[in-house]
Amino acid sequence: MLNLIYMQGKIILKKGKEYSIERFHPWIFSGAIQETVGDLTDGCWVEVLSHRNKHLGAGHYQKGSITVRMLSFDGIPSSDFWTKKIHRALQLRKSAGIPSDSTNAFRLIHGEGDGLPGLIIDVYNGIAVVQAHSVGMHIDRNNIVEGLKQNFQENLKAVYYKSQTTLPGKDRENFSDEYLLGMSGVPHLIHENGNRFLVDWEEGQKTGFFLDQRDNRKLLSTYSTGKRVLNTFCYSGGFSIYALVAQAELVHSVDASEKAISLTRKNIELNGFNAVANACFAEDVFDFMKDKQNMYDVIVLDPPAFAKHRDARHQAVKGYQRLNVEAMKIIRAGGIIFTFSCSQVVDKKLFYDTIVSAAIQAGRQIKVLHQLSQAPDHPVSIFHPEGEYLKGLVLYVE
Ligand code: SAH
């Protein structure tokens, strides 16, 4: 059943603060607010007005530096709000050819990129994993499920709500991850560009699989044939499988997590390859690379976000630099490095500069062959460039 969306109060902006909202910027900071009207509680819907009482839109209220996350810029949302938003997101993916006969896992909602700040939804072959990053999305979770049902009908097998680690601190209490629809059970088989993967959203990292690297994995195939490939920070072996399918001579996969390595082994076997010959190591990447001089032609570096906040940025940059120096030092002449950063606070330019200084330190001749980003089912609102979080470079090391 579709529920009416109830506006619990109003936010009136200071003079001049309406312009960024008129340009569809998704956030209202506390400093932009002149007055709040009504008894506002975290997660409620509010109507947003200019200082002259002009209607600007509506969004989720949450006390803090970002006080309102804008969800609508045209009128008060009606009861089919979630259905329509999800429909629009599906249209965008369709235009990018996602899903397809060979790919049945994709990101359906990418927060600000889909006009729904605070919400992530990944769909794994009929099962939606919903992740709320704001109290408003948490409160609206059953309406979101209703919107999913309206769009997918009988093709929606289950909805797993996984927000234990993403909700603000106090809202995590008295709540655990759960199925809001159906019961599925993990691991679950998906296809990505014809490759098979087991996904475990209950125990796995994030929503279970890193869908943002889909196109970059495909690009790795073109560099892997006949090569010795090292996939570091491999998680469930995404890049490893593509390199194997492209007939790499061998692929070694490294991750600090035993669970991740066990999934990688399963995924290697699932795609018809040998997980002994293509060894997987549950080890720290920095330790692993120490004594691997001249062993690999292709190295993938896809670490977790070294910095989640601005104040950790300096340390993060040092981490990226050290990692890349090590890889640049050990790779064979004529080798290829796929290097990534998914830290939002390290932007494209800073990442590029970090790689330049790593190259200087490693003392090798290096050329940039590709500049990479996230797959198109992780769209970036042009008015919210911070949404472009994944940066990658493909380097040729002479
Ligand atoms: N490339 C992966 C995603 C990487 S996520 C994919 O395509 O699916 C980052 C991974 O790095 C996680 O699995 C985490 O367990 C691992 N990790 C974090 N720190 C590590 C370290 N110091 N050494 C090895 N692995 C590490």
Side-chain angles (χ1 to χ4, degrees):
M1 207 194 66
L2 296 177
N3 290 318
L4 280 173
I5 290 177
Y6 168 68
M7 296 292 130
Q8 200 161 304
K10 292 179 185 185
I11 294 280
I12 298 161
L13 298 184
K14 288 180 183 161
K15 189 168 178 225
K17 296 295 180 188
E18 66 276 22
Y19 298 127
S20 72
I21 300 305
E22 282 170 343
R23 285 195 305 269
F24 308 112
H25 192 274
W27 300 337
I28 296 174
F29 292 100
S30 54
I33 296 171
Q34 181 177 300
E35 192 186 340
T36 61
V37 181
D39 179 18
L40 306 185
T41 48
D42 275 358
C44 73
W45 278 80
V46 283
E47 183 184 4
V48 177
L49 302 162
S50 75
H51 72 291
R52 288 208 171 121
N53 257 355
K54 181 183 166 205
H55 171 89
L56 297 171
H60 278 149
Y61 171 86
Q62 186 175 316
K63 220 175 183 149
S65 136
I66 301 173
T67 309
V68 181
R69 289 168 173 82
M70 295 298 292
L71 303 170
S72 162
F73 293 97
D74 48 5
I76 299 290
S78 50
S79 55
D80 60 359
F81 171 80
W82 296 103
T83 307
K84 275 194 181 155
K85 278 277 191 183
I86 292 169
H87 178 71
R88 270 201 238 166
L90 275 167
Q91 291 297 109
L92 182 154
R93 272 100 193 134
K94 218 177 186 176
S95 73
I98 305 167
S100 68
D101 289 347
S102 59
T103 297
N104 60 15
F106 60 100
R107 175 152 293 190
L108 170 65
I109 300 293
H110 184 60
E112 285 80 0
D114 285 295
L116 292 172
L119 182 65
I120 296 293
I121 304 180
D122 286 342
V123 176
Y124 297 111
N125 186 16
I127 287 126
V129 180
V130 175
Q131 195 161 67
H133 291 252
S134 68
V135 183
M137 290 300 176
H138 178 62
I139 293 173
D140 270 330
R141 62 197 182 282
N142 286 311
N143 297 328
I144 294 166
V145 174
E146 210 45 56
L148 286 167
K149 276 162 64 180
Q150 298 281 333
N151 277 282
F152 288 88
Q153 306 283 333
E154 70 282 358
N155 293 326
L156 184 68
K157 313 250 168 28
V159 177
Y160 187 63
Y161 182 61
K162 186 176 184 182
S163 302
Q164 253 284 289
T165 57
T166 56
L167 281 172
K170 62 181 168 30
D171 296 280
R172 288 181 205 162
E173 291 155 23
N174 310 321
F175 154 76
S176 57
D177 298 336
E178 59 177 345
Y179 286 92
L180 296 178
L181 176 82
M183 279 293 274
S184 168
V186 288
H188 183 69
L189 181 68
I190 61 151
H191 288 181
E192 188 188 83
N193 288 319
N195 300 323
R196 293 146 65 88
F197 291 98
L198 290 171
V199 178
D200 179 350
W201 47 80
E202 290 177 18
E203 293 291 320
Q205 299 179 27
K206 302 285 174 79
T207 68
F209 194 70
F210 291 87
L211 296 160
D212 51 358
Q213 290 285 22
R214 185 190 308 110
D215 294 351
N216 303 329
R217 291 185 188 123
K218 197 169 178 183
L219 183 66
L220 179 75
S221 319
T222 64
Y223 286 97
S224 300
T225 310
K227 298 290 162 64
R228 298 169 66 90
V229 179
L230 171 63
N231 180 16
T232 67
F233 307 95
C234 66
Y235 183 49
S236 57
F239 284 99
S240 308
I241 304 304
Y242 281 68
L244 286 166
V245 170
Q247 298 181 320
E249 184 186 321
L250 72 77
V251 177
H252 285 168
S253 308
V254 185
D255 198 288
S257 150
E258 289 278 357
K259 267 190 208 161
I261 286 300
S262 148
L263 257 182
T264 300
R265 287 200 182 104
K266 283 187 193 149
N267 284 329
I268 290 176
E269 300 279 344
L270 182 68
N271 286 277
F273 299 95
N274 185 329
V276 177
N278 297 288
C280 304
F281 304 87
E283 231 183 292
D284 176 84
V285 166
F286 290 93
D287 290 342
F288 181 87
M289 288 204 296
K290 271 186 188 142
D291 56 351
K292 302 294 184 304
Q293 189 70 33
N294 275 328
M295 278 185 61
Y296 302 103
D297 308 293
V298 179
I299 300 179
V300 180
L301 305 171
D302 184 23
F306 282 161
K308 295 226 164 72
H309 302 287
R310 215 155 260 279
D311 44 7
R313 191 163 59 178
H314 181 64
Q315 274 309 107
V317 165
K318 282 190 6 204
Y320 289 120
Q321 192 174 334
R322 188 157 76 92
L323 178 68
N324 282 275
V325 169
E326 292 311 313
M328 288 169 182
K329 278 186 177 164
I330 64 166
I331 198 160
R332 285 178 166 177
I336 295 284
I337 298 178
F338 276 63
T339 182
F340 296 97
S341 161
C342 60
S343 301
Q344 209 156 26
V345 294
V346 176
D347 66 15
K348 209 193 268 184
K349 177 157 188 323
L350 180 56
F351 181 59
Y352 197 99
D353 291 347
T354 306
I355 301 305
V356 173
S357 65
I360 294 169
Q361 214 174 314
R364 292 191 71 170
Q365 288 266 1
I366 292 179
K367 311 276 155 68
V368 177
L369 306 189
H370 302 268
Q371 306 210 22
L372 307 175
S373 184
Q374 63 232 36
D377 48 343
H378 300 63
V380 183
S381 161
I382 210 146
F383 307 109
H384 182 255
E386 303 93 315
E388 187 186 349
Y389 66 100
L390 184 63
K391 290 124 333 237
L393 294 169
V394 180
L395 309 172
Y396 180 79
V397 187
E398 287 186 352

